[in-house]
């Protein structure tokens, strides 16, 4: 039996599926990841400031112009569209099989595909708030700003993306909800993540079910624990699985 057939069979037999995903989930939608050979950490290594420095809270506060120059140029992909992975997950949720998507991504592609129960560990580029008056703004407002550093039209405060920067803590409600969903899943599908960034990567340790699947191009620390490993493009794999399931 091919691995995609095994995955399709496990999905058919499951009624409490949780998907845990990282940057690799969206690479086939044209959004670069961080840690692969073609990721941002490699392509930007000759920059005066490493990406992990520019994406830190202290750098954002001290040098907002450089932060937003990098953020606008490298982190925003408003034309990106969901791929086969996003679409299948949304269909499985609509069927009542998939109970939650836990994602490290900030691109909103799961929601664009139709997923409703999405736990965003690192926030979303589609939510932005004024650091002064706390009003919220859509991504379009930030993109349309004539100034490099977007300012609130009401109080002139800096509009910060509602994303978790380095040196910032994850939202505890989202974190606890993610733990609970993963702990009660009967099938955990892990996709597009190196499982090296904590505390997010530690969430998979809460899984108590008997079946877990790992979809990633490269090896991960979880390889020895997964019941099924597929080292291929996640969008293509899930597209094929959807065809096998007839959805």
């Amino acid at each position: 039996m091919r691995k995609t057939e095994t995955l399709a069979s496990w999905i058919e037999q499951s009624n409490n599926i949780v998907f845990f995903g990282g940057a690799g989930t969206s690479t086939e939608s044209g959004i670069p990841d961080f840690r692969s050979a073609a990721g941002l950490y490699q392509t930007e290594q000759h920059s005066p400031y490493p990406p992990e420095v520019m994406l830190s809270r202290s750098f954002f506060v001290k040098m907002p112009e450089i932060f937003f120059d990098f953020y606008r140029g490298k982190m925003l992909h408003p034309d990106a569209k969901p791929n086969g992975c996003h679409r299948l997950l949304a269909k499985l949720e609509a069927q009542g099989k998939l109970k939650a998507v836990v994602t490290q991504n900030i691109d909103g592609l799961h929601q664009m595909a139709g997923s409703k129960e999405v736990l965003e560990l690192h926030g979303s580029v589609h939510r932005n708030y004024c650091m002064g008056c706390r009003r919220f703004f859509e991504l379009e407002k930030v993109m349309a700003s004539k100034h490099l550093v977007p300012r609130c039209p009401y109080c002139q405060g800096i509009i910060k993306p509602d994303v978790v920067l380095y040196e910032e803590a994850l939202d505890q409600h989202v974190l606890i909800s993610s733990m609970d969903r993963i702990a009660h899943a009967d099938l955990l599908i892990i996709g597009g993540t190196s499982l090296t960034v904590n505390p997010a990567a530690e969430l998979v340790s809460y899984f108590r079910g008997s079946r877990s699947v790992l979809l990633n191009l490269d090896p991960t620390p979880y390889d020895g624990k997964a019941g099924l490993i597929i080292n291929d493009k996640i969008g293509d794999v899930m597209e094929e699985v959807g065809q096998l399931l007839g959805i």
Side-chain angles (χ1 to χ4, degrees):
M1 181 181 291
R2 301 199 316 273
K3 289 185 176 182
T4 50
E5 292 174 335
T6 299
L7 177 52
S9 175
W10 286 7
I11 289 174
E12 285 184 322
Q13 298 167 30
S14 302
N15 291 297
N16 191 348
I17 304 169
V18 171
F19 178 84
F20 177 85
T25 307
S26 297
T27 53
E28 288 162 78
S29 295
I31 299 178
D33 63 6
F34 287 85
R35 290 172 174 78
S36 73
L40 282 179
Y41 285 179
Q42 297 300 320
T43 59
E44 297 296 314
Q45 62 181 339
H46 299 301
S47 170
Y49 304 101
E52 52 266 65
V53 171
M54 287 189 282
L55 294 175
S56 67
R57 173 75 183 202
S58 56
F59 191 92
F60 169 80
V61 172
K62 294 176 183 176
M63 302 183 178
E65 293 83 4
I66 299 177
F67 169 88
F68 274 104
D69 182 60
F70 178 78
Y71 178 77
R72 286 172 178 260
K74 300 295 183 179
M75 305 298 292
L76 298 181
H77 304 272
D79 297 327
K81 297 292 186 290
N83 60 50
C85 179
H86 303 103
R87 292 191 294 269
L88 178 59
L89 294 173
K91 291 175 182 177
L92 292 174
E93 181 183 346
Q95 289 185 343
K97 282 184 166 291
L98 185 134
K99 303 305 182 184
V101 169
V102 180
T103 180
Q104 300 175 76
N105 295 341
I106 59 175
D107 52 47
L109 290 182
H110 287 292
Q111 291 92 330
M112 192 182 298
S115 291
K116 302 290 190 291
E117 190 62 27
V118 182
L119 297 168
E120 296 172 312
L121 294 168
H122 296 153
S124 173
V125 300
H126 295 280
R127 296 188 304 272
N128 303 269
Y129 66 92
C130 171
M131 297 179 72
C133 65
R134 310 300 290 185
R135 284 183 171 88
F136 270 81
F137 298 91
E138 300 293 329
L139 175 60
E140 290 73 21
K141 179 69 176 179
V142 174
M143 297 285 290
S145 173
K146 297 179 180 178
H147 305 286
L148 178 59
V149 179
R151 294 277 180 176
C152 173
Y154 301 97
C155 74
Q156 296 304 305
I158 293 178
I159 298 175
K160 180 188 180 295
D162 191 18
V163 299
V164 179
L165 302 176
Y166 288 102
E167 302 167 355
E168 292 182 332
L170 272 61
D171 182 288
Q172 289 300 298
H173 174 73
V174 174
L175 194 60
I176 292 171
S177 296
S178 299
M179 293 175 185
D180 181 67
R181 294 304 185 110
I182 290 173
H184 290 92
D186 60 6
L187 173 62
L188 176 63
I189 302 175
I190 305 166
T193 173
S194 62
L195 292 175
T196 58
V197 180
N198 292 320
E202 295 175 347
L203 289 174
V204 298
S205 67
Y206 287 87
F207 180 61
R208 295 292 178 264
S210 59
R211 289 175 170 173
S212 60
V213 182
L214 183 59
L215 309 176
N216 201 56
L217 287 174
D218 303 310
T220 79
Y222 194 79
D223 284 14
K225 300 177 182 179
L228 179 65
I229 300 173
I230 304 178
N231 297 124
D232 208 341
K233 292 183 176 180
I234 189 170
D236 292 346
V237 169
M238 296 294 262
E239 193 86 55
E240 181 179 342
V241 170
Q243 293 171 359
L244 291 169
L245 292 170
I247 59 176

Short mmCIF file of all heavy atoms in Angstrom, two decimals, residues 17-22 25 85-93 98-105 107 109-111 113-121 174 177-178 181-182 188-189 191 203 238:
data_model
loop_
_atom_site.label_atom_id
_atom_site.label_comp_id
_atom_site.label_asym_id
_atom_site.label_seq_id
_atom_site.Cartn_x
_atom_site.Cartn_y
_atom_site.Cartn_z
N ILE A 17 -9.45 14.51 14.17
CA ILE A 17 -8.16 14.79 13.56
C ILE A 17 -7.71 16.20 13.92
O ILE A 17 -8.51 17.14 13.92
CB ILE A 17 -8.22 14.66 12.03
CG1 ILE A 17 -8.72 13.26 11.63
CG2 ILE A 17 -6.86 14.92 11.39
CD1 ILE A 17 -9.06 13.13 10.15
N VAL A 18 -6.44 16.33 14.23
CA VAL A 18 -5.84 17.65 14.44
C VAL A 18 -4.63 17.77 13.52
O VAL A 18 -3.85 16.82 13.40
CB VAL A 18 -5.41 17.87 15.91
CG1 VAL A 18 -4.60 19.16 16.05
CG2 VAL A 18 -6.64 17.93 16.81
N PHE A 19 -4.51 18.90 12.88
CA PHE A 19 -3.35 19.18 12.03
C PHE A 19 -2.46 20.20 12.71
O PHE A 19 -2.93 21.25 13.15
CB PHE A 19 -3.79 19.72 10.67
CG PHE A 19 -2.64 20.07 9.75
CD1 PHE A 19 -2.04 19.09 8.97
CD2 PHE A 19 -2.17 21.37 9.66
CE1 PHE A 19 -0.97 19.40 8.13
CE2 PHE A 19 -1.11 21.70 8.82
CZ PHE A 19 -0.51 20.70 8.06
N PHE A 20 -1.17 19.88 12.81
CA PHE A 20 -0.19 20.81 13.37
C PHE A 20 0.78 21.17 12.25
O PHE A 20 1.48 20.30 11.73
CB PHE A 20 0.56 20.17 14.54
CG PHE A 20 1.64 21.06 15.12
CD1 PHE A 20 1.33 22.00 16.08
CD2 PHE A 20 2.95 20.95 14.70
CE1 PHE A 20 2.31 22.82 16.62
CE2 PHE A 20 3.95 21.77 15.23
CZ PHE A 20 3.62 22.71 16.19
N GLY A 21 0.81 22.44 11.85
CA GLY A 21 1.61 22.81 10.69
C GLY A 21 2.56 23.97 10.90
O GLY A 21 2.38 24.80 11.80
N GLY A 22 3.59 24.00 10.05
CA GLY A 22 4.57 25.07 10.06
C GLY A 22 4.72 25.70 8.70
O GLY A 22 3.87 25.54 7.82
N THR A 25 4.01 24.28 5.16
CA THR A 25 2.63 24.14 4.68
C THR A 25 2.33 25.14 3.58
O THR A 25 1.49 24.88 2.71
CB THR A 25 1.65 24.33 5.85
OG1 THR A 25 2.00 23.46 6.93
CG2 THR A 25 0.22 24.04 5.42
N CYS A 85 -2.98 21.27 0.49
CA CYS A 85 -3.03 20.97 1.92
C CYS A 85 -4.12 21.79 2.61
O CYS A 85 -4.97 21.26 3.33
CB CYS A 85 -1.68 21.24 2.57
SG CYS A 85 -1.66 20.92 4.36
N HIS A 86 -4.09 23.10 2.41
CA HIS A 86 -5.10 23.97 3.02
C HIS A 86 -6.51 23.55 2.62
O HIS A 86 -7.42 23.49 3.45
CB HIS A 86 -4.88 25.43 2.61
CG HIS A 86 -3.53 25.99 2.94
ND1 HIS A 86 -2.55 26.15 2.00
CD2 HIS A 86 -3.00 26.41 4.12
CE1 HIS A 86 -1.47 26.67 2.56
NE2 HIS A 86 -1.71 26.84 3.85
N ARG A 87 -6.67 23.24 1.33
CA ARG A 87 -8.01 22.91 0.82
C ARG A 87 -8.53 21.61 1.41
O ARG A 87 -9.70 21.52 1.79
CB ARG A 87 -7.99 22.85 -0.71
CG ARG A 87 -7.76 24.21 -1.38
CD ARG A 87 -8.02 24.15 -2.87
NE ARG A 87 -7.05 23.30 -3.57
CZ ARG A 87 -5.92 23.74 -4.09
NH1 ARG A 87 -5.60 25.03 -3.98
NH2 ARG A 87 -5.09 22.93 -4.73
N LEU A 88 -7.68 20.58 1.50
CA LEU A 88 -8.14 19.30 2.05
C LEU A 88 -8.50 19.44 3.52
O LEU A 88 -9.52 18.89 3.97
CB LEU A 88 -7.08 18.22 1.87
CG LEU A 88 -7.44 16.85 2.47
CD1 LEU A 88 -8.72 16.31 1.83
CD2 LEU A 88 -6.30 15.85 2.31
N LEU A 89 -7.70 20.17 4.27
CA LEU A 89 -7.99 20.35 5.69
C LEU A 89 -9.34 21.03 5.89
O LEU A 89 -10.11 20.65 6.78
CB LEU A 89 -6.88 21.16 6.36
CG LEU A 89 -5.51 20.47 6.42
CD1 LEU A 89 -4.46 21.45 6.95
CD2 LEU A 89 -5.54 19.22 7.28
N ALA A 90 -9.64 22.02 5.07
CA ALA A 90 -10.93 22.71 5.17
C ALA A 90 -12.08 21.76 4.86
O ALA A 90 -13.13 21.79 5.51
CB ALA A 90 -10.95 23.91 4.21
N LYS A 91 -11.89 20.88 3.87
CA LYS A 91 -12.93 19.90 3.52
C LYS A 91 -13.13 18.89 4.64
O LYS A 91 -14.26 18.51 4.95
CB LYS A 91 -12.55 19.19 2.22
CG LYS A 91 -12.59 20.08 0.98
CD LYS A 91 -12.08 19.35 -0.24
CE LYS A 91 -12.07 20.25 -1.47
NZ LYS A 91 -11.49 19.56 -2.66
N LEU A 92 -12.04 18.46 5.27
CA LEU A 92 -12.15 17.51 6.37
C LEU A 92 -12.84 18.13 7.58
O LEU A 92 -13.60 17.47 8.29
CB LEU A 92 -10.76 17.01 6.78
CG LEU A 92 -10.04 16.12 5.75
CD1 LEU A 92 -8.62 15.80 6.21
CD2 LEU A 92 -10.82 14.83 5.50
N GLU A 93 -12.62 19.43 7.79
CA GLU A 93 -13.32 20.12 8.87
C GLU A 93 -14.81 20.21 8.57
O GLU A 93 -15.65 20.01 9.46
CB GLU A 93 -12.74 21.51 9.09
CG GLU A 93 -13.42 22.26 10.23
CD GLU A 93 -12.90 23.67 10.42
OE1 GLU A 93 -11.85 24.02 9.85
OE2 GLU A 93 -13.55 24.43 11.16
N LEU A 98 -12.01 16.72 10.99
CA LEU A 98 -10.90 17.52 11.52
C LEU A 98 -11.44 18.55 12.51
O LEU A 98 -12.34 19.32 12.16
CB LEU A 98 -10.14 18.21 10.39
CG LEU A 98 -8.88 18.96 10.84
CD1 LEU A 98 -7.70 18.65 9.92
CD2 LEU A 98 -9.12 20.47 10.85
N LYS A 99 -10.91 18.53 13.71
CA LYS A 99 -11.43 19.39 14.77
C LYS A 99 -10.68 20.71 14.92
O LYS A 99 -11.23 21.68 15.45
CB LYS A 99 -11.41 18.64 16.11
CG LYS A 99 -12.18 17.33 16.09
CD LYS A 99 -13.63 17.51 15.65
CE LYS A 99 -14.37 16.18 15.69
NZ LYS A 99 -15.76 16.30 15.18
N ALA A 100 -9.42 20.72 14.50
CA ALA A 100 -8.65 21.97 14.64
C ALA A 100 -7.40 21.94 13.79
O ALA A 100 -6.83 20.87 13.53
CB ALA A 100 -8.27 22.20 16.10
N VAL A 101 -7.00 23.12 13.36
CA VAL A 101 -5.70 23.34 12.74
C VAL A 101 -4.89 24.18 13.72
O VAL A 101 -5.32 25.26 14.13
CB VAL A 101 -5.82 24.09 11.40
CG1 VAL A 101 -4.44 24.54 10.92
CG2 VAL A 101 -6.47 23.21 10.34
N VAL A 102 -3.75 23.65 14.12
CA VAL A 102 -2.83 24.40 14.97
C VAL A 102 -1.67 24.81 14.08
O VAL A 102 -0.97 23.97 13.53
CB VAL A 102 -2.31 23.55 16.15
CG1 VAL A 102 -1.35 24.36 17.01
CG2 VAL A 102 -3.48 23.03 16.99
N THR A 103 -1.48 26.11 13.89
CA THR A 103 -0.48 26.55 12.92
C THR A 103 0.52 27.54 13.51
O THR A 103 0.17 28.37 14.35
CB THR A 103 -1.15 27.18 11.68
OG1 THR A 103 -0.14 27.60 10.75
CG2 THR A 103 -1.98 28.40 12.07
N GLN A 104 1.76 27.42 13.05
CA GLN A 104 2.79 28.39 13.39
C GLN A 104 2.82 29.52 12.36
O GLN A 104 3.59 30.47 12.51
CB GLN A 104 4.16 27.70 13.43
CG GLN A 104 4.24 26.58 14.46
CD GLN A 104 5.55 25.83 14.39
OE1 GLN A 104 6.58 26.33 14.84
NE2 GLN A 104 5.55 24.64 13.81
N ASN A 105 2.02 29.40 11.31
CA ASN A 105 2.05 30.38 10.23
C ASN A 105 1.19 31.60 10.55
O ASN A 105 0.25 31.53 11.34
CB ASN A 105 1.56 29.73 8.93
CG ASN A 105 2.49 28.64 8.45
OD1 ASN A 105 3.66 28.59 8.85
ND2 ASN A 105 2.01 27.75 7.60
N ASP A 107 0.04 33.60 7.85
CA ASP A 107 -0.43 34.05 6.53
C ASP A 107 -1.93 34.00 6.32
O ASP A 107 -2.44 34.54 5.33
CB ASP A 107 0.27 33.26 5.42
CG ASP A 107 0.18 31.75 5.63
OD1 ASP A 107 -0.93 31.25 5.91
OD2 ASP A 107 1.22 31.07 5.51
N LEU A 109 -3.79 31.56 5.33
CA LEU A 109 -4.22 30.73 4.19
C LEU A 109 -5.20 29.64 4.59
O LEU A 109 -6.03 29.23 3.79
CB LEU A 109 -3.01 30.13 3.49
CG LEU A 109 -2.11 31.11 2.72
CD1 LEU A 109 -0.97 30.38 2.03
CD2 LEU A 109 -2.92 31.90 1.70
N HIS A 110 -5.12 29.16 5.82
CA HIS A 110 -6.08 28.15 6.27
C HIS A 110 -7.49 28.73 6.26
O HIS A 110 -8.44 28.09 5.80
CB HIS A 110 -5.72 27.64 7.66
CG HIS A 110 -4.53 26.74 7.69
ND1 HIS A 110 -4.54 25.47 7.13
CD2 HIS A 110 -3.29 26.91 8.22
CE1 HIS A 110 -3.36 24.90 7.31
NE2 HIS A 110 -2.58 25.75 7.96
N GLN A 111 -7.63 29.94 6.78
CA GLN A 111 -8.94 30.58 6.79
C GLN A 111 -9.42 30.90 5.38
O GLN A 111 -10.60 30.78 5.07
CB GLN A 111 -8.91 31.87 7.63
CG GLN A 111 -8.72 31.63 9.13
CD GLN A 111 -7.26 31.65 9.55
OE1 GLN A 111 -6.36 31.30 8.80
NE2 GLN A 111 -7.01 32.08 10.79
N ALA A 113 -8.86 29.18 2.82
CA ALA A 113 -9.32 27.93 2.22
C ALA A 113 -10.67 27.49 2.77
O ALA A 113 -11.33 26.63 2.18
CB ALA A 113 -8.29 26.83 2.45
N GLY A 114 -11.06 28.06 3.91
CA GLY A 114 -12.36 27.72 4.48
C GLY A 114 -12.33 27.13 5.87
O GLY A 114 -13.38 26.85 6.46
N SER A 115 -11.15 26.94 6.45
CA SER A 115 -11.04 26.41 7.81
C SER A 115 -11.57 27.43 8.82
O SER A 115 -11.29 28.62 8.69
CB SER A 115 -9.60 26.04 8.15
OG SER A 115 -9.17 24.91 7.40
N LYS A 116 -12.31 26.95 9.80
CA LYS A 116 -12.89 27.83 10.81
C LYS A 116 -12.15 27.73 12.14
O LYS A 116 -11.91 28.73 12.80
CB LYS A 116 -14.36 27.47 11.03
CG LYS A 116 -15.22 27.56 9.78
CD LYS A 116 -15.43 29.00 9.35
CE LYS A 116 -16.48 29.14 8.26
NZ LYS A 116 -16.04 28.56 6.97
N GLU A 117 -11.81 26.52 12.54
CA GLU A 117 -11.15 26.32 13.84
C GLU A 117 -9.64 26.31 13.64
O GLU A 117 -9.01 25.26 13.49
CB GLU A 117 -11.62 25.00 14.46
CG GLU A 117 -11.19 24.80 15.90
CD GLU A 117 -11.75 25.86 16.86
OE1 GLU A 117 -12.82 26.43 16.58
OE2 GLU A 117 -11.09 26.12 17.89
N VAL A 118 -9.05 27.52 13.61
CA VAL A 118 -7.62 27.68 13.36
C VAL A 118 -6.99 28.36 14.58
O VAL A 118 -7.37 29.47 14.94
CB VAL A 118 -7.34 28.52 12.10
CG1 VAL A 118 -5.84 28.62 11.85
CG2 VAL A 118 -8.04 27.91 10.88
N LEU A 119 -6.05 27.66 15.20
CA LEU A 119 -5.35 28.20 16.36
C LEU A 119 -3.99 28.72 15.88
O LEU A 119 -3.11 27.93 15.53
CB LEU A 119 -5.18 27.13 17.42
CG LEU A 119 -6.49 26.59 18.00
CD1 LEU A 119 -6.27 25.33 18.82
CD2 LEU A 119 -7.17 27.65 18.84
N GLU A 120 -3.85 30.04 15.85
CA GLU A 120 -2.65 30.68 15.31
C GLU A 120 -1.66 30.98 16.43
O GLU A 120 -1.80 31.96 17.16
CB GLU A 120 -3.03 31.96 14.57
CG GLU A 120 -3.92 31.69 13.36
CD GLU A 120 -4.45 32.97 12.73
OE1 GLU A 120 -4.97 33.83 13.47
OE2 GLU A 120 -4.36 33.10 11.50
N LEU A 121 -0.67 30.11 16.57
CA LEU A 121 0.29 30.24 17.66
C LEU A 121 1.09 31.54 17.58
O LEU A 121 1.47 32.11 18.61
CB LEU A 121 1.25 29.05 17.65
CG LEU A 121 0.63 27.69 17.96
CD1 LEU A 121 1.62 26.57 17.62
CD2 LEU A 121 0.21 27.60 19.43
N VAL A 174 -4.36 30.53 23.37
CA VAL A 174 -4.15 29.76 22.15
C VAL A 174 -3.27 28.55 22.43
O VAL A 174 -3.53 27.44 21.93
CB VAL A 174 -3.50 30.64 21.06
CG1 VAL A 174 -3.14 29.81 19.82
CG2 VAL A 174 -4.43 31.78 20.67
N SER A 177 -5.30 25.91 24.44
CA SER A 177 -6.30 25.31 23.55
C SER A 177 -5.64 24.32 22.59
O SER A 177 -6.20 23.25 22.31
CB SER A 177 -7.04 26.40 22.76
OG SER A 177 -7.78 27.23 23.61
N SER A 178 -4.46 24.68 22.10
CA SER A 178 -3.73 23.80 21.19
C SER A 178 -3.32 22.51 21.90
O SER A 178 -3.45 21.41 21.34
CB SER A 178 -2.49 24.52 20.65
OG SER A 178 -2.83 25.68 19.93
N ARG A 181 -6.48 20.31 22.24
CA ARG A 181 -6.92 19.71 20.98
C ARG A 181 -6.00 18.55 20.58
O ARG A 181 -6.46 17.49 20.14
CB ARG A 181 -6.96 20.76 19.87
CG ARG A 181 -8.00 21.84 20.06
CD ARG A 181 -9.40 21.26 20.22
NE ARG A 181 -10.41 22.29 20.29
CZ ARG A 181 -11.31 22.53 19.35
NH1 ARG A 181 -11.31 21.80 18.25
NH2 ARG A 181 -12.19 23.48 19.49
N ILE A 182 -4.70 18.76 20.70
CA ILE A 182 -3.75 17.72 20.32
C ILE A 182 -3.84 16.52 21.26
O ILE A 182 -3.79 15.37 20.82
CB ILE A 182 -2.31 18.30 20.31
CG1 ILE A 182 -2.16 19.28 19.14
CG2 ILE A 182 -1.27 17.18 20.21
CD1 ILE A 182 -0.84 20.03 19.12
N LEU A 188 -3.09 12.64 14.59
CA LEU A 188 -2.35 13.91 14.52
C LEU A 188 -1.55 13.93 13.22
O LEU A 188 -0.72 13.05 12.98
CB LEU A 188 -1.41 14.04 15.71
CG LEU A 188 -0.50 15.29 15.72
CD1 LEU A 188 -1.33 16.56 15.80
CD2 LEU A 188 0.50 15.22 16.88
N ILE A 189 -1.82 14.92 12.40
CA ILE A 189 -1.07 15.10 11.15
C ILE A 189 -0.16 16.30 11.35
O ILE A 189 -0.63 17.42 11.60
CB ILE A 189 -2.01 15.34 9.96
CG1 ILE A 189 -2.99 14.17 9.80
CG2 ILE A 189 -1.19 15.52 8.67
CD1 ILE A 189 -4.02 14.39 8.69
N GLY A 191 2.66 18.69 9.65
CA GLY A 191 3.09 18.99 8.29
C GLY A 191 3.90 20.27 8.15
O GLY A 191 3.59 21.30 8.76
N LEU A 203 4.43 21.02 21.44
CA LEU A 203 3.01 20.69 21.52
C LEU A 203 2.72 19.27 21.05
O LEU A 203 1.79 18.63 21.55
CB LEU A 203 2.20 21.68 20.69
CG LEU A 203 2.09 23.10 21.24
CD1 LEU A 203 1.38 24.01 20.26
CD2 LEU A 203 1.36 23.09 22.58
N MET A 238 -1.34 15.98 -0.07
CA MET A 238 -2.71 16.15 0.41
C MET A 238 -3.70 16.23 -0.75
O MET A 238 -4.85 15.81 -0.62
CB MET A 238 -2.79 17.39 1.30
CG MET A 238 -1.97 17.28 2.57
SD MET A 238 -2.57 16.01 3.71
CE MET A 238 -3.54 17.04 4.82
#
